[in-house]
Amino acid sequence: MMEDDDEEDEEDNEDDEQDGEVEEDDNEDEEESTLTFKDGVNPLDLVEDGAFTDQLYQKFVGMDYEALAEKKRKALVDNRPGGSVKKVRQDDLSGASMEEILEAMNYGMQRRSRKRKKKGRRKGSRNKLTPEITRLLGDATYHYALGNFEEAIPILSEVIMKAPHLPDAYHTLGLVHHALGNEKKALNFYTIAAHLAPRDSSLWELLFDWFNTRGQTPRAIYCISRAITADPKNINLKYCRASLYVKVGDYRRAAASYEHIAQTCPDDVEALKTGANMYKLCGQLERSVHILGEYLKSHPTEPELSVIDLLASMLMQNNAHSDALQHIERAQLVSCSKKELPLEMKVKEGICHAYLGNSEKAEMLLSALEQKSADHAELITEVADSFMSLEQYSSALKYYLMLKGTADSNNGFLHIKMARCYLSLNDRVQAISCFYLALKALKNNIDARLTLASLLLEEAREEDAILLLSPLDNIDCSDLQTDKSEPWWCNGKVKLKLCHIYRAKGMHKEFVDTIYSLVCEALCIEVLQQKVRVKKRLTKSVLLERVKVLNNHQMDNLLCGSISVTPASDMSRANRAKKLLEKKAKVKEEKRAKAMAAGADWQSDDSDEDPPEEIHKASPLPDLLKDKENYDLIIDLCKSLASLHKYCESLEIINLALKVTRNISSVAEELKSLGAQIAYNTPDPEHGLDCVKYIADQHPYSYAAWNCYYKVITRFDDWYARHFKFLRGKRDKLKDCAAPMIISGHHLTRKSRHQDAAREYLEAYKLLPENALINLCVGTALINLALGLRLQNKHQSVAQGLAFLYNNLRLCENSQEALYNLARAFHHIGLVTLATVYYQHVTVTFGEKQLSICILSTKRVEQQILLEWSLEITAPSER
């Protein structure tokens, strides 16, 4: 958007006056030559089409940059003596004088005159209208005045065909179509007329009114800017443009406009104050202070009190209380020496003294509020807030209490401020009372509710705190339907506070019911945010939405050829979207043509329907993973779920937490240990498999870890195939670790591969010969191997197996389990007599001495039976 408020110079040079030149705006020459119809182009056809796009504008309207450059080059050549200047060769300069050489070198680089050259055409150079055109315009105007609009249209069309650059014809034709109700055509003719006569402010004001009444603010701003360029002294137009800037939220340009108005009209104080406020809104507080200070410097004897009041407010916001106080005291000396300052400025003076440490002076100045408290609630609140920011809570509370009985007495925020003052003064009872009053008016104020709950907990009123944070029993469903905001009891901070109370009281069920869903949702969102997102292709609906910017830019009228009011970034993005849509359409058409040429039925694989967009929800507990206390909360939640036998939910929370706490080793270690314990007890250990595997990996010499790991993995079908790589890796890495060998032996035993199982057990026996479990495993493997049909030395295998079982009996100190295992071994190999004896030892409870005597008395019987059994085995072979 072009803004040019340059005015004509008041003083003209004598030489320029003799030439009869007229001083005009710098952009006038370009603007008056902007709209130029080429030969063979009918402007009426463009209006009838109803779409005057940028392409048409470049094709039919205006002199493009190449034409303008060609025009300038031609003018330059015409002004040069002797045509074009060629490069001067060294040979040509021989014999030339020094003056001639310097003249050749400096040609075209003449010193520019310091005098400002006047632009524009010479007076009287404009082409005059022919008598025929003048007569036709008179007839058309006569028909328009009489209301014969249909008769006026062909006459004006004839004028346009004969004189296409005459703005009066387009203007009158616009008036005719407006009278006939053809608003679109009228607008297009008005636009052409305005571009042909850019210095006619009335035409741009007409366009401004048209767009402004229809809510098209950006285009209205453009038109009124052109009107200001045509009539820079019209202050009302500048006021309108500044108000439009405020309307669209462009406070920076609004502030600049109001400041320009204030500079043009130094006595316009309202424009100055509005501009200062606009600078403040766009974050340029220093600029606001500067322009207000400059105004006061230019009016030293009669300063405007409202300007001083506004300047003092801004200085106070900028913590420049000393400067603000100087301006207020100066106002008292200059303009108010015989009367007191207004109450507003007096209050500001008192606040400044309070910030500067002059408490007595501040109290004296602010005492005037005590008598007028009912009428100046805003001033009292400002004073109280100032004392509160100074941490003078007694003084702040004094002024807050002055508001009781006023319209603001039922204001919930007032009670919150009073409660904080009481809390800072250690008056907890009054603070709790004020917080309850505040929550009656501000039920959805989460911070106040949480602060009150903390106070109740400090006062050992846990039940009241639970009641304060729990959902209401008598919830009005109609209120929930009308209010789309989230109710306070669903807020994550409220639930987190409530679950801490349940957790401290040991109420596991209530604790889980309150926080489980929020923790699960928050962890899921955290996991999704950590994933690497692939750049998604823009959907067709998004591209079409971006292209709408171009459609709005064209706006179906002739204004499309003018300067854009749309941001350049949006236009660039819209052009890229348009090209991408055209590319997709071209590819789609090529596929269709190829399919049609092949004689196949073509169906587009490009669905116009967009895929469902992924909705990125905000985490209900955004600070869940930022505080170490919350990690303890997650661990306690998992333990509570396990205590309630909700193992799957507990393992789900553990797995989600492990994905977002990988960098915190202590927390991950504790979570995996807890997950392994839960997986040990749950019937479906799928979620806890990684935990038990991690525990076994971190503690390879712990039999408790391997027992947990083995119990969990044996619940899966074909578990060994899934964990063979892990076990083999442990065996290769840790040669002195017996647990993977024992687990492999167990797997081979289940597969009835007893010889391979015995080999694995014996490898473990080499490492731990005094381990009862390993001796038992070796013994049972050898006994089972002896029962096979293909083994030749069965008696040797049986004897070795029994030796290991007796060793297990010794290591177990003759326990019933060891006796039973030995009895079962005798039973399997057919030594029923010995089996019966050991079964009896298992079923009868013996004392320690009785058991040892019994075993000694039976040794002879065992030896005799073993001898007989060996003879029975060897007898057939001897025969």
Side-chain angles (χ1 to χ4, degrees):
M1 186 182 302
M2 296 179 60
E3 299 182 13
D4 195 352
D5 295 332
D6 295 341
E7 302 178 10
E8 299 180 359
D9 290 341
E10 296 180 357
E11 298 179 357
D12 297 332
N13 188 275
E14 293 181 359
D15 297 335
D16 294 336
E17 288 178 355
Q18 292 176 0
D19 294 337
E21 295 179 349
V22 179
E23 175 76 9
E24 293 188 4
D25 201 49
D26 291 342
N27 293 334
E28 180 183 0
D29 197 24
E30 295 181 7
E31 289 176 353
E32 290 188 354
S33 63
T34 298
L35 198 60
T36 304
F37 296 99
K38 295 183 179 180
D39 296 336
V41 176
N42 185 2
L44 297 176
D45 294 339
L46 301 178
V47 176
E48 293 296 333
D49 291 340
F52 196 50
T53 61
D54 291 338
Q55 291 79 8
L56 292 174
Y57 181 78
Q58 295 173 1
K59 183 176 181 181
F60 298 112
V61 184
M63 296 174 59
D64 56 5
Y65 289 108
E66 289 297 331
L68 185 59
E70 182 64 27
K71 179 180 178 181
K72 291 183 178 180
R73 285 194 295 268
K74 182 178 179 182
L76 182 61
V77 171
D78 292 341
N79 293 330
R80 285 177 179 173
S84 61
V85 179
K86 297 183 179 180
K87 183 177 181 180
V88 181
R89 298 181 182 179
Q90 187 175 357
D91 297 336
D92 296 335
L93 295 177
S94 60
S97 63
M98 181 59 65
E99 290 78 6
E100 293 176 347
I101 295 175
L102 293 176
E103 183 180 359
M105 293 176 63
N106 295 329
Y107 183 80
M109 301 174 60
Q110 292 87 356
R111 183 179 179 183
R112 294 184 179 179
S113 175
R114 294 184 179 179
K115 300 177 182 179
R116 181 175 177 181
K117 294 184 178 180
K118 298 184 178 181
K119 299 182 180 295
R121 62 179 178 81
R122 291 177 179 272
K123 290 184 179 180
S125 63
R126 185 182 296 273
N127 294 329
K128 296 183 179 180
L129 299 180
T130 62
E132 181 182 4
I133 298 299
T134 304
R135 179 182 58 80
L136 292 174
L137 277 177
D139 294 343
T141 307
Y142 177 74
H143 285 297
Y144 170 73
L146 294 179
N148 300 327
F149 305 121
E150 298 296 339
E151 288 80 0
I153 291 177
I155 299 175
L156 291 171
S157 300
E158 184 180 355
V159 173
I160 290 174
M161 293 302 296
K162 293 182 178 181
H165 301 100
L166 184 62
D168 297 340
Y170 296 98
H171 185 199
T172 307
L173 197 54
L175 294 174
V176 170
H177 282 289
H178 176 72
L180 293 174
N182 301 328
E183 295 293 337
K184 190 173 183 180
K185 289 185 178 181
L187 174 63
N188 289 335
F189 283 117
Y190 290 150
T191 305
I192 294 178
H195 281 85
L196 289 174
R199 284 296 177 180
D200 191 345
S201 176
S202 61
L203 292 175
W204 291 111
E205 292 181 36
L206 182 64
L207 290 173
F208 160 72
D209 292 334
W210 196 92
F211 287 120
N212 193 33
T213 54
R214 287 159 178 78
Q216 301 182 17
T217 307
R219 292 156 191 156
I221 292 176
Y222 171 77
C223 293
I224 199 171
S225 298
R226 296 295 297 266
I228 292 172
T229 303
D231 187 7
K233 296 182 179 180
N234 193 329
I235 299 301
N236 293 329
L237 294 179
K238 294 181 180 180
Y239 260 112
C240 291
R241 183 174 65 177
S243 63
L244 288 178
Y245 282 140
V246 175
K247 182 178 179 181
V248 299
D250 194 348
Y251 300 117
R252 183 182 61 83
R253 290 185 177 178
S257 298
Y258 280 117
E259 183 183 4
H260 182 75
I261 294 171
Q263 292 174 354
T264 306
C265 303
D267 295 333
D268 195 341
V269 178
E270 292 301 323
L272 176 70
K273 294 192 295 183
T274 308
N277 287 322
M278 292 299 105
Y279 277 124
K280 174 185 173 184
L281 289 176
C282 62
Q284 299 183 21
L285 188 60
E286 296 292 339
R287 183 63 181 172
S288 300
V289 173
H290 174 73
I291 63 174
L292 293 175
E294 290 297 324
Y295 171 81
L296 293 178
K297 289 181 182 179
S298 61
H299 297 76
T301 57
E302 297 180 358
E304 181 69 27
L305 290 181
S306 60
V307 175
I308 297 177
D309 184 57
L310 181 60
L311 178 59
S313 299
M314 293 186 176
L315 288 172
M316 291 167 66
Q317 292 180 12
N318 207 22
N319 293 324
H321 296 89
S322 178
D323 296 338
L325 185 59
Q326 290 179 5
H327 284 287
I328 295 174
E329 291 176 349
R330 178 174 171 272
Q332 175 71 31
L333 294 174
V334 174
S335 62
C336 301
S337 57
K338 298 182 180 180
K339 58 180 180 179
E340 293 184 354
L341 287 173
L343 183 61
E344 291 80 4
M345 297 186 67
K346 214 170 186 180
V347 168
K348 287 183 174 62
E349 184 180 3
I351 294 175
C352 290
H353 279 292
Y355 271 95
L356 296 176
N358 304 325
S359 301
E360 296 180 359
K361 182 69 173 178
E363 289 292 336
M364 182 183 67
L365 292 170
L366 297 174
S367 60
L369 284 175
E370 299 179 5
Q371 302 174 359
K372 304 177 182 180
S373 59
D375 300 329
H376 299 88
E378 294 183 359
L379 292 177
I380 295 175
T381 304
E382 183 181 358
V383 172
D385 292 343
S386 300
F387 278 118
M388 195 169 181
S389 63
L390 290 171
E391 298 183 357
Q392 299 180 15
Y393 301 106
S394 298
S395 300
L397 185 60
K398 169 187 172 182
Y399 286 96
Y400 284 135
L401 291 174
M402 289 171 57
L403 295 174
K404 281 191 174 182
T406 63
D408 292 340
S409 59
N410 295 326
N411 188 350
F413 293 105
L414 174 62
H415 291 291
I416 291 176
K417 293 176 182 178
M418 294 173 61
R420 289 175 179 170
C421 290
Y422 280 121
L423 190 60
S424 300
L425 297 172
N426 294 323
D427 191 349
R428 296 178 179 273
V429 177
Q430 290 293 338
I432 291 174
S433 176
C434 289
F435 273 122
Y436 270 117
L437 291 174
L439 289 177
K440 288 182 180 180
L442 303 172
K443 295 182 180 180
N444 290 328
N445 194 309
I446 304 301
D447 293 335
R449 192 172 293 273
L450 294 177
T451 306
L452 178 57
S454 300
L455 283 175
L456 293 173
L457 292 175
E458 292 175 3
E459 296 294 323
R461 297 168 58 179
E462 289 86 358
E463 297 299 330
D464 292 338
I466 292 174
L467 184 63
L468 178 69
L469 300 175
S470 300
L472 302 176
D473 295 332
N474 51 349
I475 300 175
D476 192 356
C477 298
S478 60
D479 294 341
L480 293 179
Q481 292 177 358
T482 55
D483 189 7
K484 296 183 180 179
S485 61
E486 183 183 49
W488 60 263
W489 57 85
C490 295
N491 185 271
K493 294 181 180 180
V494 173
K495 287 195 172 184
L496 192 62
K497 188 73 174 180
L498 184 60
C499 83
H500 281 305
I501 300 175
Y502 287 136
R503 174 187 172 196
K505 293 176 68 66
M507 304 169 65
H508 297 292
K509 185 178 183 305
E510 291 78 4
F511 169 60
V512 169
D513 294 341
T514 302
I515 202 63
Y516 167 71
S517 59
L518 287 182
V519 171
C520 187
E521 183 181 355
L523 291 176
C524 289
I525 292 175
E526 291 290 339
V527 171
L528 290 175
Q529 290 178 353
Q530 288 187 353
K531 291 183 178 180
V532 179
R533 292 183 176 86
V534 181
K535 187 176 180 180
K536 296 167 57 177
R537 296 173 58 188
L538 294 176
T539 59
K540 187 175 181 180
S541 61
V542 174
L543 294 175
L544 291 174
E545 187 68 25
R546 292 185 178 182
V547 172
K548 286 182 180 179
V549 176
L550 293 177
N551 298 334
N552 294 335
H553 177 65
Q554 293 172 3
M555 71 181 188
D556 291 334
N557 60 53
L558 297 178
L559 199 57
C560 296
S562 58
I563 299 175
S564 174
V565 295
T566 307
S569 59
D570 293 347
M571 291 296 299
S572 177
R573 188 169 61 175
N575 286 321
R576 290 197 301 269
K578 183 179 179 181
K579 291 180 180 179
L580 188 56
L581 286 173
E582 292 175 352
K583 181 179 178 181
K584 287 185 176 182
K586 183 178 180 181
V587 173
K588 190 174 181 180
E589 183 63 25
E590 290 177 355
K591 289 182 179 180
R592 188 191 68 81
K594 188 180 294 185
M596 296 294 290
D601 294 335
W602 179 79
Q603 292 183 353
S604 175
D605 56 352
D606 234 358
S607 177
D608 291 339
E609 296 182 359
D610 298 333
E613 295 183 1
E614 182 181 358
I615 301 175
H616 299 284
K617 295 178 60 178
S619 175
L621 301 173
D623 298 331
L624 179 64
L625 302 177
K626 296 180 180 179
D627 191 358
K628 187 180 182 301
E629 183 181 356
N630 291 335
Y631 291 115
D632 298 334
L633 173 68
I634 295 175
I635 294 173
D636 290 342
L637 175 61
C638 296
K639 291 180 180 179
S640 299
L641 287 168
S643 66
L644 297 174
H645 303 289
K646 296 182 178 182
Y647 302 114
C648 293
E649 290 85 349
S650 180
L651 290 174
E652 181 184 4
I653 295 293
I654 290 174
N655 288 328
L656 290 173
L658 285 174
K659 293 179 181 179
V660 296
T661 58
R662 293 174 181 174
N663 298 328
I664 307 177
S665 58
S666 59
V667 177
E669 178 76 19
E670 189 171 0
L671 285 172
K672 289 180 179 179
S673 177
L674 180 60
Q677 296 175 19
I678 297 174
Y680 187 83
N681 297 321
T682 179
D684 184 14
E686 181 68 34
H687 297 290
L689 184 60
D690 293 336
C691 295
V692 295
K693 188 175 179 180
Y694 173 81
I695 295 299
D697 183 59
Q698 295 296 317
H699 306 281
Y701 297 101
S702 172
Y703 287 104
W706 284 107
N707 285 335
C708 179
Y709 171 77
Y710 182 69
K711 182 177 180 180
V712 171
I713 66 174
T714 51
R715 295 174 188 167
F716 297 99
D717 297 334
D718 196 17
W719 60 270
Y720 190 77
R722 297 176 58 181
H723 298 272
F724 173 77
K725 185 177 180 180
F726 174 74
L727 293 174
R728 176 58 63 181
K730 284 299 176 185
R731 288 193 59 180
D732 296 341
K733 185 177 180 180
L734 304 172
K735 301 293 185 181
D736 57 343
C737 184
M741 303 175 187
I742 298 173
I743 293 176
S744 299
H746 291 345
H747 169 68
L748 295 172
T749 300
R750 293 182 63 180
K751 296 293 185 180
S752 299
R753 296 168 57 183
H754 302 296
Q755 186 174 3
D756 296 333
R759 186 181 298 109
E760 294 288 340
Y761 291 141
L762 287 172
E763 291 292 333
Y765 177 77
K766 294 178 182 178
L767 299 174
L768 300 171
E770 295 299 319
N771 186 281
L773 175 63
I774 295 177
N775 282 274
L776 174 63
C777 292
V778 174
T780 54
L782 292 173
I783 294 297
N784 288 325
L785 180 62
L787 297 177
L789 299 177
R790 298 181 181 180
L791 188 64
Q792 295 182 358
N793 53 347
K794 294 183 179 181
H795 59 288
Q796 182 180 358
S797 179
V798 170
Q800 291 175 350
L802 291 176
F804 280 103
L805 290 177
Y806 272 107
N807 197 18
N808 174 65
L809 182 64
R810 176 182 62 82
L811 295 172
C812 293
E813 298 179 353
N814 301 323
S815 65
Q816 290 185 352
E817 183 180 357
L819 289 171
Y820 180 78
N821 290 330
L822 192 57
R824 288 292 297 169
F826 284 127
H827 193 177
H828 274 289
I829 62 178
L831 299 179
V832 182
T833 304
L834 285 175
T836 303
V837 173
Y838 281 96
Y839 280 139
Q840 290 177 355
H841 293 330
V842 175
T843 56
V844 178
T845 304
F846 295 97
E848 184 177 353
K849 294 183 179 180
Q850 293 175 341
L851 181 59
S852 61
I853 295 173
C854 179
I855 293 177
L856 290 175
S857 63
T858 56
K859 281 187 177 180
R860 296 179 180 178
V861 179
E862 293 174 5
Q863 294 175 358
Q864 183 178 0
I865 294 175
L866 286 173
L867 179 61
E868 294 177 355
W869 179 72
S870 61
L871 290 174
E872 291 178 358
I873 294 177
T874 56
S877 60
E878 293 177 356
R879 296 171 186 173

